[in-house]
Amino acid sequence: MMRKNKLSAIMMVLVLVMAAALTGCSDKKAKEQEIQNKVSAIDTAYEAFTAEAAKKLEAYKTMVSEDEAYTEEDAVKEKYTAVLADMKKAFTDEYDSTIAENTVDVSKEEDEKKVNTYKDNLTKALGTIKADAVCTEEEITAYEASVNAAVKTYDDRVTAIKKAAAEKKAEEEDKAKKESEEAAAAKEKTAKSSDGSASGKSTSASGS
């Protein structure tokens, strides 16, 4: 009887061990599937991000807001962090390109409209950077310093162009005035000369 009880106890232990092992395997598979699902979700989100430019910002902010869901497991966190960095780079590359295209040497530029266009483009780009809120405060401050320095250069150049234009206009007006005065003086001199000749002829005729 005792032997039978011992055998039953051993069988019970074996059953429990097997059940625990099966449960462990099942839990492991479930965890692996969960990780795979999250990785797939990240890939899908990135595909949507790159496919539709108009919704890039919305897609990026959605990913940022889901931080907790993707940072529990190291394997998922690594994927999430890399994809998030790629998303952010897409924005900063665009910002950098726009700023580079509109940060030029205008020291010899004479077209005020062109200089103001550069300025407007930079101001708009900075506004977008701030509104998107993709960058950190430190990064935004750096962009702001760069844009403001360029804008000041453009403002100074526009002032110089306006000053040169005003000086040129004043010179032209002075020249025109001088020429007008000289023409009037010459005309008056000619008129007096004509009057003198006519008067001389009239006196000579009377004497005859």
Side-chain angles (χ1 to χ4, degrees):
M1 186 73 177
M2 275 185 68
R3 189 172 178 182
K4 188 176 181 181
N5 289 338
K6 282 183 178 181
L7 188 59
S8 296
I10 292 171
M11 291 295 293
M12 181 65 70
V13 170
L14 287 173
V15 168
L16 291 173
V17 169
M18 288 180 66
L22 288 172
T23 300
C25 288
S26 178
D27 288 345
K28 185 179 179 182
K29 285 185 177 181
K31 190 66 176 178
E32 288 175 351
Q33 186 60 51
E34 182 185 353
I35 290 173
Q36 186 57 48
N37 289 343
K38 288 182 178 181
V39 170
S40 296
I42 292 172
D43 286 333
T44 301
Y46 187 68
E47 287 172 9
F49 173 84
T50 56
E52 200 165 352
K55 294 186 177 181
K56 280 170 61 177
L57 184 60
E58 180 184 345
Y60 175 77
K61 289 190 174 182
T62 297
M63 281 291 285
V64 172
S65 69
E66 294 174 349
D67 176 88
E68 291 184 5
Y70 295 115
T71 53
E72 292 178 358
E73 301 89 4
D74 289 341
V76 178
K77 183 177 181 180
E78 184 177 348
K79 176 77 173 181
Y80 171 78
T81 302
V83 168
L84 206 60
D86 286 343
M87 286 182 168
K88 180 177 178 179
K89 189 175 184 300
F91 287 101
T92 56
D93 282 352
E94 191 174 328
Y95 301 153
D96 293 343
S97 176
T98 301
I99 290 173
E101 288 172 5
N102 291 280
T103 304
V104 297
D105 180 8
V106 294
S107 59
K108 296 181 180 179
E109 181 60 64
E110 299 298 334
D111 189 338
E112 180 183 339
K113 185 177 180 181
K114 188 179 288 187
V115 177
N116 278 327
T117 297
Y118 290 138
K119 174 185 173 180
D120 291 343
N121 288 343
L122 284 181
T123 301
K124 183 179 178 182
L126 182 59
T128 298
I129 291 170
K130 290 180 176 181
D132 286 352
V134 169
C135 300
T136 63
E137 286 297 323
E138 186 178 351
E139 289 167 339
I140 291 175
T141 298
Y143 277 122
E144 193 168 22
S146 175
V147 168
N148 287 345
V151 166
K152 184 180 184 305
T153 299
Y154 298 157
D155 285 340
D156 290 344
R157 184 57 192 158
V158 168
T159 299
I161 292 172
K162 287 181 175 179
K163 182 181 178 182
E167 289 174 349
K168 184 178 180 181
K169 183 180 179 181
E171 286 176 4
E172 289 175 349
E173 289 176 349
D174 287 344
K175 183 180 178 181
K177 183 179 178 182
K178 185 177 180 181
E179 288 175 350
S180 177
E181 290 174 348
E182 288 175 349
K187 186 177 181 180
E188 184 179 352
K189 184 177 180 181
T190 301
K192 286 181 178 179
S193 177
S194 297
D195 289 345
S197 296
S199 177
K201 288 180 180 180
S202 177
T203 304
S204 179
S206 296
S208 301

